[in-house]
Amino acid sequence: MTHRPDTMCLAPWTHTYLSPQTERRMCCASREPAQNFQQYIDTSSGTGQYIPLTLEQHWNSEHMRSVRRRMMAGETLPECEVCNDKLLNTSVYRTYFDHLFQHKLPEVYNSTQEDGFTTMAPVSWDYRFSNLCNFKCRTCGDMLSSAWESEQKQNDMVDYANPKNNWMRNDIRSAITQFQESQVEAEFAAAVESHSVEAVYWAGGEPLMFEQHWRYMKRIVELGDGPKLYARYNTNLSRVEYRGVDLYRDILAHVRDWQICASLDGTNEIGEYIRTGLDYEQWCRNFEAGLRIATHPRQMRIDFTLTLPGMFEVDAIQALASNYKVELLSKVVFSFTPDIIMSPLSLPRHLLEPWLDELIEQCTHASLRDVLTQLKSRPTFQEQWPDSWAEALVRGKQRVLKLEQIRTQTVTMTDILGARPDVLEWWMMINA
């Protein structure tokens, strides 16, 4: 077997991803040119026209063949920037596919032609059947949350002149729904019925709101394929039951292994501010129910995305993880534009670095310490976008204030930042 390059990922041979708008990518973290509507980490805008691809059209398309050729040649792909540069977290997605599918490496080489065509078929699935979600997390947006979408429309916050937003037009939305129901569900159902699903990643939207999640997972168990399935979830954990079916008892107890990454970006009021819709006490009850059936520590994990207000919650999140005796899956909010004021990188260096030093000194969880340490070496928005940073901060603050005006939560960003006077002063100086 040929020596495997360090930057080669097994996803293009094993995994298929579909966004709620039916955009296909290598995985949810890959940065690729948009097909129809630009997704939140895409590198270029789409046409705004809806021309969906079937899995068959996508799997050995010129783009996917090119990806495989370049990976096998040892190139560092720009599409894989999030993993290559650890932009989300230090435990990169590439290692996830290694963990599950390294045993398939001989098949990868034997099945792949010189032009990148492979006879392998996907066995790992991340199909997001819609943007249905009951939360409006401030680090998210309308493409990944129907609650966000409704709020944007109700408050005239949608720029319909931007082709990126064409997916919200009634005619295109109807076409997306029809494609999801006829083509996408047929693809996934065929994989389930042919016993070929070895791994599934349920994310959203909110996957436990998807009727499809409950239907297909029940069917996998009914077919006797649970003992070979690895099921991974990224969920707000606001529900663990659907029409009498219990997630833990009726589904996860019957699969080979599973992992729930339960999103929580802060506790109590700050957590409920960041993740609008969160009932912190209900989250704790649902998490504890999972702990009661877990057979090893990695099955229940707290998925903590570090935000600017969430920096005040580092101690509380660590205490919660220690109390539950679980791991933290730590990452930092995506920020590919300088108006993402929820990111710690929106702070100027002289405010950010001392704060990070304080947090690192008291950090007891390795993954969180890695994220905090890596942030010190990343450019701040001011350093990365020196000419547009100040103006972008104004836009970012305006967005925060607009949402606070619309939503009925009592705590505000000003209240939260008030616990650190130098940061509050910076916030108040932003002329929004």
Side-chain angles (χ1 to χ4, degrees):
M1 185 177 70
T2 307
H3 171 71
R4 176 189 174 181
D6 291 339
T7 55
M8 182 174 168
C9 178
L10 296 176
W13 287 267
T14 61
H15 180 72
T16 182
Y17 163 78
L18 192 80
S19 81
Q21 290 72 40
T22 68
E23 297 278 326
R24 297 189 187 269
R25 304 286 185 271
M26 281 188 288
C27 72
C28 63
S30 61
R31 301 200 67 201
E32 301 177 47
Q35 295 167 10
N36 305 304
F37 320 111
Q38 187 175 4
Q39 307 291 290
Y40 63 109
I41 64 172
D42 285 348
T43 55
S44 65
S45 58
T47 63
Q49 296 180 322
Y50 184 51
I51 308 176
L53 297 175
T54 67
L55 176 59
E56 183 179 10
Q57 291 170 327
H58 168 73
W59 188 245
N60 276 304
S61 63
E62 172 51 38
H63 171 64
M64 289 297 292
R65 295 200 308 271
S66 168
V67 164
R68 298 186 189 111
R69 289 196 305 269
R70 287 179 287 145
M71 280 190 175
M72 297 178 84
E75 294 184 29
T76 299
L77 274 63
E79 293 95 328
C80 301
E81 178 186 19
V82 171
C83 281
N84 295 336
D85 298 338
K86 300 182 178 179
L87 297 180
L88 182 60
N89 55 17
T90 56
S91 177
V92 299
Y93 205 12
R94 185 182 294 133
T95 61
Y96 168 80
F97 294 111
D98 272 0
H99 175 73
L100 287 179
F101 301 121
Q102 195 167 19
H103 64 283
K104 294 182 182 287
L105 200 55
E107 185 182 359
V108 164
Y109 281 98
N110 292 335
S111 72
T112 308
Q113 301 173 9
E114 285 189 8
D115 67 351
F117 182 97
T118 182
T119 56
M120 292 179 71
V123 295
S124 172
W125 298 75
D126 178 358
Y127 269 23
R128 310 193 179 189
F129 289 97
S130 74
N131 68 339
L132 180 64
C133 186
N134 55 337
F135 279 21
K136 295 178 287 189
C137 302
R138 291 171 197 266
T139 56
C140 193
D142 47 33
M143 287 188 131
L144 297 177
S145 165
S146 57
W148 255 104
E149 180 187 354
S150 296
E151 181 179 80
Q152 296 281 97
K153 289 179 175 178
Q154 290 167 4
N155 292 279
D156 297 322
M157 297 171 70
V158 180
D159 177 11
Y160 287 104
N162 186 341
K164 172 187 174 182
N165 295 323
N166 281 359
W167 65 274
M168 283 189 273
R169 283 174 27 193
N170 290 338
D171 57 334
I172 294 182
R173 190 60 183 270
S174 176
I176 292 173
T177 300
Q178 195 277 331
F179 186 77
Q180 287 274 19
E181 292 175 351
S182 62
Q183 181 64 38
V184 172
E185 293 222 28
E187 292 171 359
F188 193 72
V192 169
E193 296 298 327
S194 63
H195 312 279
S196 61
V197 179
E198 298 179 23
V200 61
Y201 180 30
W202 290 106
E206 169 46 45
L208 297 181
M209 299 286 289
F210 295 169
E211 179 275 334
Q212 292 92 338
H213 159 265
W214 302 93
R215 172 159 42 98
Y216 289 123
M217 289 299 286
K218 282 175 58 183
R219 182 59 177 157
I220 288 170
V221 170
E222 289 170 357
L223 289 170
D225 292 328
K228 73 173 186 179
L229 179 72
Y230 181 76
R232 184 170 182 247
Y233 291 75
N234 190 284
T235 169
N236 63 36
L237 212 62
S238 59
R239 73 182 307 168
V240 293
E241 185 269 345
Y242 178 77
R243 294 185 178 178
V245 179
D246 182 86
L247 174 68
Y248 301 124
R249 180 189 66 241
D250 299 321
I251 292 177
L252 298 185
H254 303 284
V255 305
R256 175 180 69 82
D257 198 5
W258 53 271
Q259 180 179 112
I260 287 182
C261 300
S263 298
L264 188 72
D265 302 337
T267 62
N268 296 303
E269 278 193 331
I270 294 181
E272 291 174 356
Y273 174 85
I274 298 168
R275 300 180 63 80
T276 304
L278 170 67
D279 178 335
Y280 176 64
E281 296 301 326
Q282 183 65 54
W283 183 96
C284 290
R285 289 191 290 271
N286 290 342
F287 195 87
E288 290 161 8
L291 289 176
R292 288 195 286 271
I293 73 150
T295 58
H296 61 79
R298 290 181 64 84
Q299 287 184 321
M300 295 296 297
R301 302 175 80 184
I302 297 174
D303 189 331
F304 176 60
T305 299
L306 182 68
T307 62
L308 175 56
M311 288 180 72
F312 293 96
E313 285 290 293
V314 166
D315 286 347
I317 288 288
Q318 288 192 108
L320 187 68
S322 297
N323 180 54
Y324 284 147
K325 298 181 174 59
V326 298
E327 295 181 4
L328 284 177
L329 177 63
S330 305
K331 52 186 184 288
V332 66
V333 60
F334 272 127
S335 50
F336 295 110
T337 58
D339 58 343
I340 309 299
I341 207 165
M342 290 292 287
S343 170
L345 292 170
S346 63
L347 288 172
R349 175 71 59 186
H350 74 276
L351 294 179
L352 176 62
E353 192 145 339
W355 196 358
L356 288 172
D357 287 337
E358 293 171 23
L359 294 175
I360 291 167
E361 185 176 354
Q362 63 196 31
C363 193
T364 57
H365 286 257
S367 74
L368 182 52
R369 188 188 308 113
D370 287 346
V371 167
L372 294 168
T373 302
Q374 196 233 15
L375 266 180
K376 289 184 64 175
S377 65
R378 289 179 60 178
T380 65
F381 292 174
Q382 185 178 24
E383 293 162 349
Q384 190 171 358
W385 293 285
D387 297 330
S388 58
W389 169 70
E391 182 182 344
L393 284 187
V394 173
R395 293 198 307 274
K397 183 175 180 179
Q398 287 173 339
R399 183 169 182 259
V400 166
L401 296 179
K402 177 72 172 177
L403 294 181
E404 289 181 352
Q405 180 185 357
I406 293 169
R407 300 176 186 179
T408 58
Q409 292 159 290
T410 56
V411 70
T412 67
M413 183 75 91
T414 300
D415 297 329
I416 296 169
L417 299 185
R420 198 167 181 97
D422 56 348
V423 175
L424 178 61
E425 181 182 7
W426 162 82
W427 175 256
M428 300 304 292
M429 291 289 290
I430 300 172
N431 185 19

